[in-house]
Amino acid sequence: MKRVAITERPDWREKASEFGFNFHTMYDEPYWSEDAYYQFTLAQIEEIEEVTAELHQMCLQVVEKVVNSEELLTRFQIPRHTWDFVRDSWKTNQPSLYSRLDLAYDGVGPAKLLENNADTPTSLYESAFFQWIWLEDQINAGNLPENADQFNGIQEQLIERFTQLKDQFGFRLLHMTCCRDTEEDRGTVQYLQDCANEAGIATEFLYVDEIGLGEKGEFTDTQDQVISNLFKLYPWEFMLREIFSTKLEDAGVRWLEPAWKSIISNKALLPMLWQMFPEHPNLLPAYFADNNPPPLDSYVVKPLFSREGANIRIVDNGKEIASADGPYGEEGMIIQQFHPLPKFEGNYTLVGSWLVNDQAAGICIREDKELITQDLSRFYPHVIID
């Protein structure tokens, strides 16, 4: 695994506009970056693929354990009045669409799981589509060898998964939602709408605050049409605490992602994994902060519900070396052994490994000058060259 400089495509900004990639620059800072790429061997990609599949299955075993334990549901901060709703989503095999594992990996030592973005992962469009266009353009320009490849079946697998949802679960119309005022979330949902349409599923978009409640307790759209299937780029930990959460169980909605994802998108997953699979080579020691954790010289403190690196603190040899502000923490904290991200030319590098329908589907690379990867960390494409 190495970082290789490359000439940018002269017209990539025009292409981004043409393809609707409107968040390639955010707050006047570059987000999409193509002055370099990350190069992997096929063996390294196969290792990531195998580790991703195994870690995912381990996460599903955590769900099985948690839904059958009131103590653990409490520990995961699942509100009591939603226990049956979350439990039933698992017991009735409610289908999932996609997720992303964040891994520390340098191409040499074993990949280590940092967290699981199982509920509302973004950076999907640029992973599935725009970095593939980059690869094709750079091969055609002679800047990459003709046999250069990419671990990227994300788009094909998404369309195939939507086709299965249509055929097996009767998805004919899929409502899709996210919050207002976030171009990245809207872009992600728009991309997923395109994939669903390719699979023959009609889609309707509305913002979260536009979802209504009908007389019989059903959720409705702005045309008072009943919502039967809903993809939401909106966190379960918010939904389970809002006023309408008492209506979730009886609303008759099939959710993407399903409610059982509230368990594995929760940082409480990490100490549970370490407890169930101690000394696993792809896990880092992790503990609940309030449960007498063993002393660690170097560790990371994470809130159960943190997103985009918020409220994370890193302590190395007893001294705080990095921290990020944010609104999280009241729900409780976990402690995970500090495992510094690999550094390439002064940049800390994180591998995001995508799953679609429980299958490893591709990767993305995020890079930051700081130890804590946050929402403005740069996205870099990758290639496989053997």
Side-chain angles (χ1 to χ4, degrees), residues 21 23 31-32 98 100 121-134 150-156 158 184 188 191 351-354 361-366 379-382:
F21 185 14
F23 51 93
Y31 166 61
W32 169 268
Y98 75 125
R100 190 189 77 233
T122 52
S123 67
L124 178 69
Y125 167 85
E126 50 274 37
S127 300
F129 182 77
F130 205 68
Q131 73 166 336
W132 183 259
I133 298 294
W134 169 88
Q150 201 172 78
F151 180 29
N152 192 355
I154 304 167
Q155 180 161 301
E156 293 80 3
L158 282 169
E184 184 180 5
T188 301
Y191 174 66
V351 175
S353 186
W354 293 96
I363 61 169
C364 59
I365 308 294
R366 299 286 296 278
F379 185 108
Y380 275 86
H382 76 278

mmCIF file of all heavy atoms in Angstrom, residues 21 23 31-32 98 100 121-134 150-156 158 184 188 191 351-354 361-366 379-382:
data_model
loop_
_atom_site.group_PDB
_atom_site.id
_atom_site.type_symbol
_atom_site.label_atom_id
_atom_site.label_comp_id
_atom_site.label_asym_id
_atom_site.label_seq_id
_atom_site.Cartn_x
_atom_site.Cartn_y
_atom_site.Cartn_z
ATOM 1 N N PHE A 21 -21.955 16.125 -8.698
ATOM 2 C CA PHE A 21 -21.090 16.017 -7.512
ATOM 3 C C PHE A 21 -20.791 17.441 -7.038
ATOM 4 O O PHE A 21 -19.745 18.007 -7.332
ATOM 5 C CB PHE A 21 -19.821 15.263 -7.890
ATOM 6 C CG PHE A 21 -18.878 14.966 -6.744
ATOM 7 C CD1 PHE A 21 -19.267 15.099 -5.412
ATOM 8 C CD2 PHE A 21 -17.581 14.531 -7.005
ATOM 9 C CE1 PHE A 21 -18.395 14.814 -4.376
ATOM 10 C CE2 PHE A 21 -16.697 14.249 -5.979
ATOM 11 C CZ PHE A 21 -17.104 14.397 -4.672
ATOM 12 N N PHE A 23 -20.523 18.636 -3.934
ATOM 13 C CA PHE A 23 -19.871 18.854 -2.637
ATOM 14 C C PHE A 23 -18.403 18.433 -2.688
ATOM 15 O O PHE A 23 -17.821 18.038 -1.692
ATOM 16 C CB PHE A 23 -20.625 18.115 -1.518
ATOM 17 C CG PHE A 23 -20.905 16.661 -1.777
ATOM 18 C CD1 PHE A 23 -20.038 15.676 -1.338
ATOM 19 C CD2 PHE A 23 -22.044 16.265 -2.467
ATOM 20 C CE1 PHE A 23 -20.282 14.332 -1.571
ATOM 21 C CE2 PHE A 23 -22.315 14.923 -2.696
ATOM 22 C CZ PHE A 23 -21.431 13.955 -2.245
ATOM 23 N N TYR A 31 -12.484 18.653 -0.744
ATOM 24 C CA TYR A 31 -12.907 17.366 -0.179
ATOM 25 C C TYR A 31 -12.449 16.249 -1.118
ATOM 26 O O TYR A 31 -11.691 15.372 -0.733
ATOM 27 C CB TYR A 31 -14.417 17.349 0.026
ATOM 28 C CG TYR A 31 -14.975 15.964 0.279
ATOM 29 C CD1 TYR A 31 -14.557 15.236 1.389
ATOM 30 C CD2 TYR A 31 -15.882 15.372 -0.605
ATOM 31 C CE1 TYR A 31 -15.034 13.955 1.613
ATOM 32 C CE2 TYR A 31 -16.359 14.092 -0.382
ATOM 33 C CZ TYR A 31 -15.938 13.388 0.716
ATOM 34 O OH TYR A 31 -16.397 12.107 0.930
ATOM 35 N N TRP A 32 -12.896 16.282 -2.361
ATOM 36 C CA TRP A 32 -12.383 15.341 -3.355
ATOM 37 C C TRP A 32 -10.974 15.794 -3.755
ATOM 38 O O TRP A 32 -10.749 16.957 -4.069
ATOM 39 C CB TRP A 32 -13.296 15.306 -4.585
ATOM 40 C CG TRP A 32 -12.674 14.558 -5.727
ATOM 41 C CD1 TRP A 32 -11.909 15.068 -6.737
ATOM 42 C CD2 TRP A 32 -12.735 13.139 -5.959
ATOM 43 N NE1 TRP A 32 -11.485 14.071 -7.582
ATOM 44 C CE2 TRP A 32 -11.986 12.870 -7.127
ATOM 45 C CE3 TRP A 32 -13.360 12.083 -5.296
ATOM 46 C CZ2 TRP A 32 -11.846 11.584 -7.646
ATOM 47 C CZ3 TRP A 32 -13.210 10.799 -5.801
ATOM 48 C CH2 TRP A 32 -12.470 10.551 -6.959
ATOM 49 N N TYR A 98 -26.874 -1.185 3.036
ATOM 50 C CA TYR A 98 -25.422 -1.003 2.933
ATOM 51 C C TYR A 98 -24.856 -0.497 4.261
ATOM 52 O O TYR A 98 -25.598 -0.064 5.136
ATOM 53 C CB TYR A 98 -25.084 -0.023 1.813
ATOM 54 C CG TYR A 98 -25.337 1.435 2.117
ATOM 55 C CD1 TYR A 98 -24.311 2.369 1.982
ATOM 56 C CD2 TYR A 98 -26.583 1.915 2.537
ATOM 57 C CE1 TYR A 98 -24.517 3.717 2.251
ATOM 58 C CE2 TYR A 98 -26.793 3.254 2.804
ATOM 59 C CZ TYR A 98 -25.758 4.148 2.661
ATOM 60 O OH TYR A 98 -25.958 5.470 2.931
ATOM 61 N N ARG A 100 -20.625 0.690 6.178
ATOM 62 C CA ARG A 100 -19.192 0.903 5.952
ATOM 63 C C ARG A 100 -18.425 0.692 7.247
ATOM 64 O O ARG A 100 -18.767 1.273 8.283
ATOM 65 C CB ARG A 100 -18.943 2.330 5.441
ATOM 66 C CG ARG A 100 -17.510 2.571 4.948
ATOM 67 C CD ARG A 100 -17.247 4.047 4.649
ATOM 68 N NE ARG A 100 -17.035 4.803 5.873
ATOM 69 C CZ ARG A 100 -17.697 5.904 6.197
ATOM 70 N NH1 ARG A 100 -18.639 6.385 5.408
ATOM 71 N NH2 ARG A 100 -17.429 6.532 7.335
ATOM 72 N N PRO A 121 -24.102 5.846 6.580
ATOM 73 C CA PRO A 121 -22.795 6.164 6.007
ATOM 74 C C PRO A 121 -22.910 7.039 4.761
ATOM 75 O O PRO A 121 -23.746 6.813 3.900
ATOM 76 C CB PRO A 121 -22.221 4.787 5.649
ATOM 77 C CG PRO A 121 -23.399 3.906 5.481
ATOM 78 C CD PRO A 121 -24.466 4.434 6.378
ATOM 79 N N THR A 122 -22.068 8.080 4.703
ATOM 80 C CA THR A 122 -21.981 8.902 3.502
ATOM 81 C C THR A 122 -20.641 8.610 2.816
ATOM 82 O O THR A 122 -19.980 7.641 3.141
ATOM 83 C CB THR A 122 -22.132 10.392 3.837
ATOM 84 O OG1 THR A 122 -21.218 10.732 4.877
ATOM 85 C CG2 THR A 122 -23.552 10.690 4.316
ATOM 86 N N SER A 123 -20.248 9.476 1.875
ATOM 87 C CA SER A 123 -19.112 9.260 0.962
ATOM 88 C C SER A 123 -19.369 8.072 0.026
ATOM 89 O O SER A 123 -18.441 7.497 -0.530
ATOM 90 C CB SER A 123 -17.753 9.146 1.672
ATOM 91 O OG SER A 123 -17.631 8.007 2.465
ATOM 92 N N LEU A 124 -20.633 7.752 -0.154
ATOM 93 C CA LEU A 124 -21.015 6.625 -1.014
ATOM 94 C C LEU A 124 -20.878 6.965 -2.490
ATOM 95 O O LEU A 124 -20.287 6.200 -3.259
ATOM 96 C CB LEU A 124 -22.465 6.226 -0.711
ATOM 97 C CG LEU A 124 -23.025 5.083 -1.560
ATOM 98 C CD1 LEU A 124 -22.335 3.774 -1.207
ATOM 99 C CD2 LEU A 124 -24.534 4.960 -1.367
ATOM 100 N N TYR A 125 -21.415 8.103 -2.909
ATOM 101 C CA TYR A 125 -21.409 8.467 -4.326
ATOM 102 C C TYR A 125 -19.986 8.547 -4.869
ATOM 103 O O TYR A 125 -19.668 8.000 -5.932
ATOM 104 C CB TYR A 125 -22.134 9.809 -4.511
ATOM 105 C CG TYR A 125 -21.920 10.437 -5.860
ATOM 106 C CD1 TYR A 125 -22.710 10.074 -6.943
ATOM 107 C CD2 TYR A 125 -20.917 11.389 -6.065
ATOM 108 C CE1 TYR A 125 -22.506 10.646 -8.195
ATOM 109 C CE2 TYR A 125 -20.708 11.959 -7.302
ATOM 110 C CZ TYR A 125 -21.503 11.590 -8.363
ATOM 111 O OH TYR A 125 -21.294 12.146 -9.594
ATOM 112 N N GLU A 126 -19.123 9.238 -4.119
ATOM 113 C CA GLU A 126 -17.754 9.394 -4.593
ATOM 114 C C GLU A 126 -16.998 8.067 -4.583
ATOM 115 O O GLU A 126 -16.104 7.846 -5.396
ATOM 116 C CB GLU A 126 -17.019 10.467 -3.797
ATOM 117 C CG GLU A 126 -17.102 10.363 -2.293
ATOM 118 C CD GLU A 126 -18.328 11.016 -1.662
ATOM 119 O OE1 GLU A 126 -19.428 10.960 -2.238
ATOM 120 O OE2 GLU A 126 -18.178 11.548 -0.554
ATOM 121 N N SER A 127 -17.381 7.151 -3.649
ATOM 122 C CA SER A 127 -16.760 5.822 -3.617
ATOM 123 C C SER A 127 -17.218 4.970 -4.792
ATOM 124 O O SER A 127 -16.410 4.346 -5.488
ATOM 125 C CB SER A 127 -17.124 5.094 -2.319
ATOM 126 O OG SER A 127 -16.685 5.785 -1.188
ATOM 127 N N ALA A 128 -18.527 4.934 -5.003
ATOM 128 C CA ALA A 128 -19.111 4.006 -5.969
ATOM 129 C C ALA A 128 -18.978 4.491 -7.403
ATOM 130 O O ALA A 128 -18.789 3.689 -8.318
ATOM 131 C CB ALA A 128 -20.587 3.784 -5.637
ATOM 132 N N PHE A 129 -19.082 5.810 -7.602
ATOM 133 C CA PHE A 129 -19.190 6.331 -8.961
ATOM 134 C C PHE A 129 -18.009 7.206 -9.370
ATOM 135 O O PHE A 129 -17.320 6.924 -10.344
ATOM 136 C CB PHE A 129 -20.499 7.117 -9.106
ATOM 137 C CG PHE A 129 -20.738 7.654 -10.490
ATOM 138 C CD1 PHE A 129 -21.167 6.817 -11.511
ATOM 139 C CD2 PHE A 129 -20.518 8.995 -10.772
ATOM 140 C CE1 PHE A 129 -21.368 7.303 -12.791
ATOM 141 C CE2 PHE A 129 -20.714 9.495 -12.052
ATOM 142 C CZ PHE A 129 -21.153 8.647 -13.060
ATOM 143 N N PHE A 130 -17.749 8.264 -8.611
ATOM 144 C CA PHE A 130 -16.817 9.271 -9.108
ATOM 145 C C PHE A 130 -15.374 8.773 -9.128
ATOM 146 O O PHE A 130 -14.604 9.143 -10.023
ATOM 147 C CB PHE A 130 -16.937 10.570 -8.310
ATOM 148 C CG PHE A 130 -16.494 11.785 -9.084
ATOM 149 C CD1 PHE A 130 -17.218 12.229 -10.173
ATOM 150 C CD2 PHE A 130 -15.338 12.470 -8.733
ATOM 151 C CE1 PHE A 130 -16.815 13.344 -10.902
ATOM 152 C CE2 PHE A 130 -14.921 13.588 -9.457
ATOM 153 C CZ PHE A 130 -15.661 14.024 -10.536
ATOM 154 N N GLN A 131 -14.982 7.910 -8.166
ATOM 155 C CA GLN A 131 -13.605 7.408 -8.221
ATOM 156 C C GLN A 131 -13.433 6.389 -9.345
ATOM 157 O O GLN A 131 -12.324 6.208 -9.860
ATOM 158 C CB GLN A 131 -13.119 6.884 -6.866
ATOM 159 C CG GLN A 131 -13.687 5.576 -6.414
ATOM 160 C CD GLN A 131 -12.908 4.965 -5.234
ATOM 161 O OE1 GLN A 131 -11.720 5.247 -5.001
ATOM 162 N NE2 GLN A 131 -13.583 4.110 -4.479
ATOM 163 N N TRP A 132 -14.532 5.731 -9.752
ATOM 164 C CA TRP A 132 -14.451 4.806 -10.896
ATOM 165 C C TRP A 132 -14.263 5.594 -12.200
ATOM 166 O O TRP A 132 -13.471 5.202 -13.060
ATOM 167 C CB TRP A 132 -15.695 3.932 -10.972
ATOM 168 C CG TRP A 132 -15.610 2.929 -12.085
ATOM 169 C CD1 TRP A 132 -16.185 2.983 -13.315
ATOM 170 C CD2 TRP A 132 -14.845 1.712 -12.070
ATOM 171 N NE1 TRP A 132 -15.840 1.894 -14.066
ATOM 172 C CE2 TRP A 132 -15.013 1.095 -13.328
ATOM 173 C CE3 TRP A 132 -14.032 1.095 -11.112
ATOM 174 C CZ2 TRP A 132 -14.408 -0.117 -13.662
ATOM 175 C CZ3 TRP A 132 -13.423 -0.113 -11.443
ATOM 176 C CH2 TRP A 132 -13.623 -0.705 -12.699
ATOM 177 N N ILE A 133 -14.985 6.721 -12.343
ATOM 178 C CA ILE A 133 -14.812 7.588 -13.513
ATOM 179 C C ILE A 133 -13.369 8.093 -13.575
ATOM 180 O O ILE A 133 -12.747 8.147 -14.640
ATOM 181 C CB ILE A 133 -15.792 8.783 -13.451
ATOM 182 C CG1 ILE A 133 -17.245 8.300 -13.469
ATOM 183 C CG2 ILE A 133 -15.534 9.780 -14.579
ATOM 184 C CD1 ILE A 133 -17.664 7.632 -14.748
ATOM 185 N N TRP A 134 -12.831 8.463 -12.410
ATOM 186 C CA TRP A 134 -11.420 8.894 -12.326
ATOM 187 C C TRP A 134 -10.496 7.812 -12.854
ATOM 188 O O TRP A 134 -9.580 8.090 -13.651
ATOM 189 C CB TRP A 134 -11.074 9.235 -10.872
ATOM 190 C CG TRP A 134 -9.606 9.426 -10.621
ATOM 191 C CD1 TRP A 134 -8.883 10.571 -10.749
ATOM 192 C CD2 TRP A 134 -8.668 8.409 -10.223
ATOM 193 N NE1 TRP A 134 -7.558 10.339 -10.449
ATOM 194 C CE2 TRP A 134 -7.403 9.018 -10.127
ATOM 195 C CE3 TRP A 134 -8.782 7.040 -9.935
ATOM 196 C CZ2 TRP A 134 -6.256 8.312 -9.758
ATOM 197 C CZ3 TRP A 134 -7.639 6.335 -9.571
ATOM 198 C CH2 TRP A 134 -6.390 6.978 -9.477
ATOM 199 N N GLN A 150 -9.703 -1.425 -9.598
ATOM 200 C CA GLN A 150 -10.177 -0.778 -8.370
ATOM 201 C C GLN A 150 -11.089 -1.769 -7.663
ATOM 202 O O GLN A 150 -11.842 -2.486 -8.333
ATOM 203 C CB GLN A 150 -10.968 0.483 -8.754
ATOM 204 C CG GLN A 150 -11.102 1.521 -7.682
ATOM 205 C CD GLN A 150 -11.728 2.796 -8.244
ATOM 206 O OE1 GLN A 150 -12.940 2.858 -8.445
ATOM 207 N NE2 GLN A 150 -10.912 3.797 -8.531
ATOM 208 N N PHE A 151 -10.998 -1.822 -6.329
ATOM 209 C CA PHE A 151 -11.958 -2.650 -5.580
ATOM 210 C C PHE A 151 -13.236 -1.834 -5.468
ATOM 211 O O PHE A 151 -13.401 -1.029 -4.565
ATOM 212 C CB PHE A 151 -11.400 -3.016 -4.209
ATOM 213 C CG PHE A 151 -12.343 -3.873 -3.384
ATOM 214 C CD1 PHE A 151 -13.248 -4.741 -3.981
ATOM 215 C CD2 PHE A 151 -12.319 -3.807 -2.002
ATOM 216 C CE1 PHE A 151 -14.113 -5.525 -3.218
ATOM 217 C CE2 PHE A 151 -13.170 -4.581 -1.230
ATOM 218 C CZ PHE A 151 -14.072 -5.437 -1.849
ATOM 219 N N ASN A 152 -14.132 -2.043 -6.416
ATOM 220 C CA ASN A 152 -15.294 -1.168 -6.496
ATOM 221 C C ASN A 152 -16.416 -1.824 -7.303
ATOM 222 O O ASN A 152 -16.580 -1.559 -8.490
ATOM 223 C CB ASN A 152 -14.898 0.165 -7.138
ATOM 224 C CG ASN A 152 -15.965 1.216 -6.986
ATOM 225 O OD1 ASN A 152 -17.048 0.935 -6.485
ATOM 226 N ND2 ASN A 152 -15.667 2.415 -7.429
ATOM 227 N N GLY A 153 -17.182 -2.685 -6.627
ATOM 228 C CA GLY A 153 -18.401 -3.214 -7.227
ATOM 229 C C GLY A 153 -19.629 -2.613 -6.568
ATOM 230 O O GLY A 153 -20.719 -3.188 -6.628
ATOM 231 N N ILE A 154 -19.453 -1.449 -5.932
ATOM 232 C CA ILE A 154 -20.512 -0.900 -5.069
ATOM 233 C C ILE A 154 -21.777 -0.622 -5.862
ATOM 234 O O ILE A 154 -22.883 -1.035 -5.472
ATOM 235 C CB ILE A 154 -20.030 0.381 -4.356
ATOM 236 C CG1 ILE A 154 -18.748 0.114 -3.555
ATOM 237 C CG2 ILE A 154 -21.116 0.909 -3.431
ATOM 238 C CD1 ILE A 154 -18.042 1.374 -3.079
ATOM 239 N N GLN A 155 -21.640 0.072 -6.989
ATOM 240 C CA GLN A 155 -22.833 0.462 -7.744
ATOM 241 C C GLN A 155 -23.583 -0.758 -8.262
ATOM 242 O O GLN A 155 -24.810 -0.849 -8.125
ATOM 243 C CB GLN A 155 -22.451 1.384 -8.900
ATOM 244 C CG GLN A 155 -23.661 1.837 -9.722
ATOM 245 C CD GLN A 155 -23.358 3.077 -10.540
ATOM 246 O OE1 GLN A 155 -22.995 4.113 -9.995
ATOM 247 N NE2 GLN A 155 -23.510 2.989 -11.845
ATOM 248 N N GLU A 156 -22.862 -1.716 -8.832
ATOM 249 C CA GLU A 156 -23.512 -2.921 -9.349
ATOM 250 C C GLU A 156 -24.226 -3.676 -8.237
ATOM 251 O O GLU A 156 -25.356 -4.159 -8.416
ATOM 252 C CB GLU A 156 -22.483 -3.838 -10.019
ATOM 253 C CG GLU A 156 -21.859 -3.292 -11.292
ATOM 254 C CD GLU A 156 -20.743 -2.282 -11.027
ATOM 255 O OE1 GLU A 156 -20.403 -2.038 -9.841
ATOM 256 O OE2 GLU A 156 -20.226 -1.726 -12.016
ATOM 257 N N LEU A 158 -25.331 -2.420 -5.376
ATOM 258 C CA LEU A 158 -26.485 -1.656 -4.911
ATOM 259 C C LEU A 158 -27.696 -1.898 -5.812
ATOM 260 O O LEU A 158 -28.813 -2.133 -5.335
ATOM 261 C CB LEU A 158 -26.165 -0.156 -4.869
ATOM 262 C CG LEU A 158 -25.339 0.345 -3.690
ATOM 263 C CD1 LEU A 158 -24.877 1.783 -3.938
ATOM 264 C CD2 LEU A 158 -26.114 0.256 -2.373
ATOM 265 N N GLU A 184 -24.199 17.134 1.108
ATOM 266 C CA GLU A 184 -23.626 15.788 1.003
ATOM 267 C C GLU A 184 -24.702 14.721 1.209
ATOM 268 O O GLU A 184 -24.773 13.745 0.470
ATOM 269 C CB GLU A 184 -22.498 15.618 2.022
ATOM 270 C CG GLU A 184 -21.794 14.280 1.906
ATOM 271 C CD GLU A 184 -20.683 14.101 2.912
ATOM 272 O OE1 GLU A 184 -20.498 14.977 3.792
ATOM 273 O OE2 GLU A 184 -19.987 13.081 2.827
ATOM 274 N N THR A 188 -26.028 12.016 -1.540
ATOM 275 C CA THR A 188 -26.008 10.564 -1.292
ATOM 276 C C THR A 188 -27.372 9.952 -1.583
ATOM 277 O O THR A 188 -27.477 8.912 -2.241
ATOM 278 C CB THR A 188 -25.604 10.285 0.173
ATOM 279 O OG1 THR A 188 -24.305 10.846 0.421
ATOM 280 C CG2 THR A 188 -25.572 8.798 0.456
ATOM 281 N N TYR A 191 -28.114 9.841 -5.295
ATOM 282 C CA TYR A 191 -27.405 8.728 -5.930
ATOM 283 C C TYR A 191 -28.136 7.407 -5.683
ATOM 284 O O TYR A 191 -28.312 6.598 -6.605
ATOM 285 C CB TYR A 191 -25.969 8.656 -5.409
ATOM 286 C CG TYR A 191 -25.230 7.449 -5.905
ATOM 287 C CD1 TYR A 191 -24.928 7.302 -7.253
ATOM 288 C CD2 TYR A 191 -24.878 6.423 -5.031
ATOM 289 C CE1 TYR A 191 -24.271 6.175 -7.724
ATOM 290 C CE2 TYR A 191 -24.226 5.297 -5.490
ATOM 291 C CZ TYR A 191 -23.925 5.176 -6.836
ATOM 292 O OH TYR A 191 -23.290 4.052 -7.294
ATOM 293 N N VAL A 351 -9.088 3.680 5.930
ATOM 294 C CA VAL A 351 -9.733 2.881 4.875
ATOM 295 C C VAL A 351 -11.184 2.633 5.272
ATOM 296 O O VAL A 351 -11.463 2.105 6.354
ATOM 297 C CB VAL A 351 -9.013 1.529 4.668
ATOM 298 C CG1 VAL A 351 -9.761 0.662 3.653
ATOM 299 C CG2 VAL A 351 -7.573 1.753 4.214
ATOM 300 N N GLY A 352 -12.106 3.038 4.402
ATOM 301 C CA GLY A 352 -13.514 2.717 4.591
ATOM 302 C C GLY A 352 -13.872 1.525 3.721
ATOM 303 O O GLY A 352 -13.640 1.558 2.506
ATOM 304 N N SER A 353 -14.385 0.474 4.326
ATOM 305 C CA SER A 353 -14.706 -0.748 3.575
ATOM 306 C C SER A 353 -16.220 -0.930 3.502
ATOM 307 O O SER A 353 -16.885 -1.102 4.528
ATOM 308 C CB SER A 353 -14.055 -1.959 4.249
ATOM 309 O OG SER A 353 -14.250 -3.122 3.463
ATOM 310 N N TRP A 354 -16.756 -0.880 2.294
ATOM 311 C CA TRP A 354 -18.198 -0.898 2.071
ATOM 312 C C TRP A 354 -18.757 -2.310 2.000
ATOM 313 O O TRP A 354 -18.122 -3.215 1.448
ATOM 314 C CB TRP A 354 -18.535 -0.176 0.759
ATOM 315 C CG TRP A 354 -18.261 1.285 0.800
ATOM 316 C CD1 TRP A 354 -17.132 1.934 0.361
ATOM 317 C CD2 TRP A 354 -19.114 2.314 1.323
ATOM 318 N NE1 TRP A 354 -17.240 3.284 0.583
ATOM 319 C CE2 TRP A 354 -18.445 3.550 1.154
ATOM 320 C CE3 TRP A 354 -20.390 2.301 1.898
ATOM 321 C CZ2 TRP A 354 -19.006 4.760 1.561
ATOM 322 C CZ3 TRP A 354 -20.944 3.505 2.292
ATOM 323 C CH2 TRP A 354 -20.253 4.715 2.125
ATOM 324 N N ALA A 361 -17.942 -4.836 -0.791
ATOM 325 C CA ALA A 361 -18.258 -4.309 -2.122
ATOM 326 C C ALA A 361 -17.224 -3.338 -2.669
ATOM 327 O O ALA A 361 -17.213 -3.077 -3.878
ATOM 328 C CB ALA A 361 -19.623 -3.615 -2.082
ATOM 329 N N GLY A 362 -16.350 -2.779 -1.831
ATOM 330 C CA GLY A 362 -15.393 -1.796 -2.324
ATOM 331 C C GLY A 362 -14.832 -0.989 -1.169
ATOM 332 O O GLY A 362 -15.244 -1.153 -0.017
ATOM 333 N N ILE A 363 -13.879 -0.108 -1.488
ATOM 334 C CA ILE A 363 -13.260 0.704 -0.436
ATOM 335 C C ILE A 363 -13.180 2.166 -0.846
ATOM 336 O O ILE A 363 -13.299 2.518 -2.025
ATOM 337 C CB ILE A 363 -11.844 0.214 -0.050
ATOM 338 C CG1 ILE A 363 -10.894 0.291 -1.244
ATOM 339 C CG2 ILE A 363 -11.883 -1.160 0.565
ATOM 340 C CD1 ILE A 363 -9.424 0.083 -0.864
ATOM 341 N N CYS A 364 -12.982 3.018 0.160
ATOM 342 C CA CYS A 364 -12.670 4.427 -0.058
ATOM 343 C C CYS A 364 -11.555 4.805 0.903
ATOM 344 O O CYS A 364 -11.350 4.141 1.926
ATOM 345 C CB CYS A 364 -13.895 5.308 0.143
ATOM 346 S SG CYS A 364 -14.648 5.206 1.781
ATOM 347 N N ILE A 365 -10.848 5.858 0.565
ATOM 348 C CA ILE A 365 -9.721 6.323 1.385
ATOM 349 C C ILE A 365 -9.984 7.757 1.822
ATOM 350 O O ILE A 365 -10.302 8.617 0.999
ATOM 351 C CB ILE A 365 -8.396 6.292 0.587
ATOM 352 C CG1 ILE A 365 -8.163 4.917 -0.055
ATOM 353 C CG2 ILE A 365 -7.225 6.687 1.488
ATOM 354 C CD1 ILE A 365 -7.935 3.800 0.915
ATOM 355 N N ARG A 366 -9.855 8.009 3.120
ATOM 356 C CA ARG A 366 -9.948 9.368 3.660
ATOM 357 C C ARG A 366 -8.598 9.714 4.298
ATOM 358 O O ARG A 366 -7.949 8.856 4.891
ATOM 359 C CB ARG A 366 -11.064 9.455 4.702
ATOM 360 C CG ARG A 366 -12.446 9.125 4.177
ATOM 361 C CD ARG A 366 -13.037 10.212 3.317
ATOM 362 N NE ARG A 366 -13.267 11.453 4.029
ATOM 363 C CZ ARG A 366 -14.345 11.691 4.793
ATOM 364 N NH1 ARG A 366 -15.276 10.771 4.956
ATOM 365 N NH2 ARG A 366 -14.485 12.862 5.390
ATOM 366 N N PHE A 379 -10.952 13.033 0.456
ATOM 367 C CA PHE A 379 -11.230 11.740 -0.161
ATOM 368 C C PHE A 379 -10.233 11.544 -1.309
ATOM 369 O O PHE A 379 -10.103 12.403 -2.175
ATOM 370 C CB PHE A 379 -12.669 11.731 -0.706
ATOM 371 C CG PHE A 379 -13.111 10.412 -1.269
ATOM 372 C CD1 PHE A 379 -14.027 9.627 -0.590
ATOM 373 C CD2 PHE A 379 -12.630 9.951 -2.483
ATOM 374 C CE1 PHE A 379 -14.436 8.408 -1.103
ATOM 375 C CE2 PHE A 379 -13.028 8.733 -3.005
ATOM 376 C CZ PHE A 379 -13.936 7.973 -2.305
ATOM 377 N N TYR A 380 -9.546 10.394 -1.306
ATOM 378 C CA TYR A 380 -8.594 10.086 -2.371
ATOM 379 C C TYR A 380 -8.997 8.779 -3.055
ATOM 380 O O TYR A 380 -9.427 7.823 -2.400
ATOM 381 C CB TYR A 380 -7.163 9.942 -1.817
ATOM 382 C CG TYR A 380 -6.452 11.255 -1.706
ATOM 383 C CD1 TYR A 380 -6.587 12.055 -0.589
ATOM 384 C CD2 TYR A 380 -5.650 11.715 -2.760
ATOM 385 C CE1 TYR A 380 -5.939 13.276 -0.482
ATOM 386 C CE2 TYR A 380 -4.994 12.946 -2.662
ATOM 387 C CZ TYR A 380 -5.151 13.715 -1.529
ATOM 388 O OH TYR A 380 -4.526 14.934 -1.450
ATOM 389 N N PRO A 381 -8.832 8.710 -4.380
ATOM 390 C CA PRO A 381 -9.137 7.453 -5.083
ATOM 391 C C PRO A 381 -8.056 6.408 -4.844
ATOM 392 O O PRO A 381 -6.972 6.715 -4.323
ATOM 393 C CB PRO A 381 -9.189 7.881 -6.562
ATOM 394 C CG PRO A 381 -8.333 9.109 -6.636
ATOM 395 C CD PRO A 381 -8.426 9.788 -5.298
ATOM 396 N N HIS A 382 -8.353 5.178 -5.256
ATOM 397 C CA HIS A 382 -7.371 4.102 -5.076
ATOM 398 C C HIS A 382 -7.316 3.246 -6.343
ATOM 399 O O HIS A 382 -8.240 3.276 -7.168
ATOM 400 C CB HIS A 382 -7.729 3.213 -3.874
ATOM 401 C CG HIS A 382 -8.858 2.265 -4.155
ATOM 402 N ND1 HIS A 382 -10.189 2.645 -4.094
ATOM 403 C CD2 HIS A 382 -8.850 0.949 -4.522
ATOM 404 C CE1 HIS A 382 -10.949 1.613 -4.402
ATOM 405 N NE2 HIS A 382 -10.169 0.582 -4.661
#
